[in-house]
Amino acid sequence: MTDSPVFDPPTHRCDLVMKGGITSGVVYPRAVVALSRKYRFENIGGTSAGAIAAVVTAAAEYGRASGGFAKVDALPDELSATLLEKFQPTPKLAPLFDLALAALSGRPAAMFRALLAGYPLAAMMAAGPGALVAGLAAFIGAAPSWGFLTLGAVMIFAGLLLGPLLAAKRQAQRDLPAQDYGLCTGMTQPGQPGPALTDWLTATIDSVAGLAPGQGPLTIAQLKGRGINVQTVTTDLTTHRPYALPMGNNLHAFDEAEFRKLFPTAVVDHMIAHSSPVAATWKDPTGRLHYFQSADLPVVVLARMSLSFPGLISAVPLYRVDHTLERLEAPKTIRRCLFSDGGISSNFPVHFFDRFLPQAPTFGISLSQYDPARVAEGKEDRRITLPIAADGTGRMLPTQPFQGLGGFVMAIFDSAKDWQDSLQSVLTGYRERIVTVALRADEGGLNLQMPASTITALTGYGAEAGQELVKAFSLKEHRWRRFLTELPAIEDMLTGFAEHWDAVEPGPGDLAYPALVAERGRAAYDLTAAERRILAERAELVAGLGRALAAKPLPAKLEAALPIRRAGLRITANMDDSSPLQPQGKSGE
């Protein structure tokens, strides 16, 4: 526990983004508590386990006056005793879950025991022929046939191993897809001693927020009412793209019956009460589909859709109309989409809440692999890194060697999903606000059976990370670095705009941009002449800035003194499909 449960009103404000990592999320509670003593959280985001930490942090800020952060401070003590309990497989998939736990332990004997215990009938049937051979060799004839006895013993062992393995494979191929590719739904299962992940998280959010029993669930509308915003990342595997939650459109719907298998009754009842059926517009034959997005969405949904680790926790299904299916008519254009772990697409969304010339910091808490070679001699227990770099120094990404085919495949997967987050995190103006906690191979991640002592140690590292940010971070220095990074990037964009705006003839028969903007009769967005003139005037203002900057480049000595230009401005798609001209929740393509 930290020193005191009393949390005075903070003197500063900040945003916070937390990385995904399944059980590594136990790092976050006391990091958040340490930051909360100085900062009020305004925007909080994260992915996977970081998403759980984000919604709990938002709830604690909402309930700050009623002891929200004191309750967060107590969470590690609870989790140290009940972490594995949060991951409860459905009874049908319990044998596969136990086998997965044994495989994660790396002990062949544990895997063999899990196979026999989980699939005893398959083991007996597969071992039967070997037992018959051994029995015949032992009891037929004047003396035992040692050759056949040995053959029978080998067949028995092979049957005990292969029979359950084949049964497990069949179950993985049949039952795992039927449960949307997760051994656990997140809901409490029969005969379990305590609540599973989603039930526990729902109750924890409401308790931390200071809501009395029956007042929940806590919603994004309630948070916004107190100036708190929370965002998480989820991945739509069906359209191969990430989404930021809450979504910026209203194109999806949820099936009431399916959601009741994934969320507590009070959560689904609230969603039904605050959304409308899609039957009239989608011609939904089931009558169970309701629009997903609403201004009053329970925040537990944002966390659960972000933490849907493939194979461990079921994906969350939503529905949408696929307008590209031109040959089909409603309702055949309704497609079921599976939303899985946000870490598949963006495990550390450090870009969340970013803005030009920030007036408050957006802190990041990241996770990495512990390597003693990166720690100074005599400081091997040091797990926290906050790179407050001196002038002219950079920060390279650490090398992460791999071995074997499995390591090669995972390196490809991690590179594909993490490269943008990784490069963003080492830019000047970003890296000095990101604290990293290094974890050993047996800490966090898929280590569902961590001992209480390990969990306690990880929560201590989290507290140290939060304290390091409070002690070492300088907002004045950060704003100076951001200014030095952003101004050249903006200049590059403006000079490039001017160069292309002023290009006389882009190609044979093509119009220069001023003439293109003035021309009428375009197929798309055919604006009036007056509207076109307004746009042309604004474009000329932008181009004018670019020309002026190009005509007066920075002195070479000053250019050399600035941070290396590793950042560039470009048009990118928003994860949440939102637009400053389109309010959230508005339906449309």
Side-chain angles (χ1 to χ4, degrees):
M1 298 286 286
T2 51
D3 295 338
S4 170
V6 178
F7 293 83
D8 297 327
T11 55
H12 299 72
R13 57 191 175 91
C14 76
D15 303 334
L16 179 63
V17 177
M18 289 168 279
K19 190 174 185 178
I22 315 177
T23 64
S24 304
V26 298
V27 165
Y28 296 129
R30 288 184 179 157
V32 165
V33 169
L35 286 170
S36 71
R37 296 182 181 277
K38 180 176 180 179
Y39 295 96
R40 180 188 188 275
F41 298 104
E42 292 189 343
N43 300 289
I44 313 104
T47 296
S48 195
I52 290 181
V55 298
V56 172
T57 301
E61 190 61 74
Y62 181 89
R64 178 183 284 269
S66 57
F69 287 105
K71 295 173 184 176
V72 172
D73 192 45
L75 288 178
D77 296 329
E78 176 188 352
L79 290 172
S80 65
T82 63
L83 182 63
L84 180 60
E85 180 184 287
K86 303 294 180 281
F87 301 92
Q88 299 179 13
T90 55
K92 180 184 289 188
L93 289 172
L96 208 56
F97 180 81
D98 292 339
L99 178 59
L101 284 182
L104 289 171
S105 74
R107 299 194 301 270
M111 293 179 61
F112 188 60
R113 288 193 299 270
L115 284 169
L116 293 181
Y119 305 95
L121 182 59
M124 287 189 293
M125 292 180 63
L132 179 61
V133 170
L136 291 174
F139 297 107
I140 294 179
S145 174
W146 295 107
F148 279 102
L149 277 174
T150 302
L151 175 63
V154 171
M155 291 176 64
I156 290 173
F157 179 77
L160 291 175
L161 180 63
L162 294 178
L165 276 175
L166 290 174
K169 178 184 176 183
R170 286 193 297 269
Q171 187 174 41
Q173 293 175 331
R174 179 191 65 226
D175 297 333
L176 199 60
Q179 197 163 285
D180 289 330
Y181 304 95
L183 297 167
C184 310
T185 65
M187 298 297 289
T188 306
Q189 300 301 309
Q192 295 292 334
L197 180 66
T198 309
D199 285 319
W200 170 81
L201 182 58
T202 303
T204 297
I205 290 170
D206 293 347
S207 171
V208 168
L211 302 182
Q215 285 187 329
L218 182 69
T219 69
I220 56 176
Q222 289 173 295
L223 293 177
K224 286 184 179 297
R226 296 191 181 178
I228 306 165
N229 175 52
V230 64
Q231 269 191 304
T232 68
V233 180
T234 185
T235 304
D236 181 5
L237 299 178
T238 317
T239 56
H240 304 174
R241 59 154 291 180
Y243 274 95
L245 298 174
M247 292 178 176
N249 60 46
N250 205 8
L251 302 179
H252 294 85
F254 68 94
D255 184 309
E256 176 184 353
E258 290 181 330
F259 261 51
R260 292 195 183 280
K261 297 176 182 178
L262 300 174
F263 294 95
T265 298
V267 171
V268 183
D269 286 348
H270 183 94
M271 294 178 68
I272 294 292
H274 291 81
S275 61
S276 57
V278 303
T281 53
W282 290 22
K283 299 182 181 179
D284 166 32
T286 68
R288 300 193 306 262
L289 297 182
H290 287 69
Y291 282 111
F292 171 72
Q293 183 60 45
S294 76
D296 217 30
L297 190 67
V299 296
V300 68
V301 178
L302 276 60
R304 173 62 179 82
M305 288 184 66
S306 187
L307 180 60
S308 300
F309 192 81
L312 179 61
I313 304 174
S314 299
V316 177
L318 294 179
Y319 294 78
R320 55 164 287 199
V321 174
D322 187 345
H323 294 286
T324 67
L325 300 171
E326 297 182 2
R327 299 183 63 179
L328 300 180
E329 297 180 355
K332 292 183 178 180
T333 57
I334 300 176
R335 288 290 189 257
R336 188 174 188 263
C337 303
L338 282 182
F339 286 77
S340 191
D341 198 270
I344 296 172
S345 49
S346 181
N347 204 35
F348 187 36
V350 69
H351 61 279
F352 271 1
F353 322 126
D354 204 16
R355 57 187 71 85
F356 288 117
L357 301 180
Q359 302 302 314
T362 297
F363 292 127
I365 304 178
S366 186
L367 306 167
S368 69
Q369 298 176 355
Y370 175 75
D371 184 345
R374 295 194 174 95
V375 183
E377 188 174 352
K379 297 184 178 180
E380 286 78 11
D381 292 336
R382 177 70 173 170
R383 301 293 193 93
I384 310 304
T385 304
L386 180 61
I388 307 296
D391 291 349
T393 62
R395 184 190 179 199
M396 295 186 296
L397 291 171
T399 56
Q400 299 185 45
F402 55 85
Q403 294 181 344
L405 180 60
F408 176 70
V409 172
M410 287 305 300
I412 293 174
F413 177 72
D414 289 341
S415 299
K417 71 184 182 69
D418 290 341
W419 72 269
Q420 294 187 73
D421 296 340
S422 298
L423 289 180
Q424 190 84 16
S425 68
V426 297
L427 290 176
T428 300
Y430 287 82
R431 60 178 182 252
E432 69 269 9
R433 60 179 172 85
I434 299 172
V435 64
T436 301
V437 182
L439 305 181
R440 298 182 188 272
D442 61 346
E443 297 171 339
L446 281 170
N447 293 294
L448 306 183
Q449 302 182 84
M450 285 188 295
S453 58
T454 300
I455 295 175
T456 299
L458 294 186
T459 61
Y461 299 143
E464 186 181 346
Q467 292 160 6
E468 185 74 8
L469 280 172
V470 171
K471 178 182 66 175
F473 177 81
S474 167
L475 179 58
K476 182 183 294 186
E477 182 69 18
H478 169 65
R479 292 173 66 211
W480 170 239
R481 291 171 187 251
R482 282 297 294 264
F483 169 75
L484 295 179
T485 300
E486 290 173 4
L487 184 60
I490 294 172
E491 286 191 13
D492 290 344
M493 181 269 294
L494 290 172
T495 54
F497 184 95
E499 179 183 349
H500 288 273
W501 177 258
D502 293 339
V504 177
E505 188 179 348
D510 291 333
L511 298 174
Y513 267 104
L516 180 69
V517 173
E519 185 186 49
R520 291 295 307 274
R522 311 305 301 177
Y525 306 106
D526 189 19
L527 305 177
T528 66
E531 291 168 335
R532 289 171 179 272
R533 280 195 299 272
I534 292 173
L535 295 181
E537 290 170 0
R538 298 176 77 84
E540 183 59 33
L541 289 172
V542 174
L545 283 173
R547 294 187 205 106
L549 291 167
K552 192 175 182 181
L554 290 174
K557 183 177 181 181
L558 175 57
E559 179 73 46
L562 295 177
I564 298 173
R565 297 194 186 191
R566 293 190 178 97
L569 302 182
R570 61 189 178 94
I571 302 296
T572 60
N574 290 328
M575 282 188 187
D576 61 355
D577 288 345
S578 63
S579 164
L581 302 180
Q582 176 180 310
Q584 286 196 0
K586 182 178 179 180
S587 179
E589 283 296 327

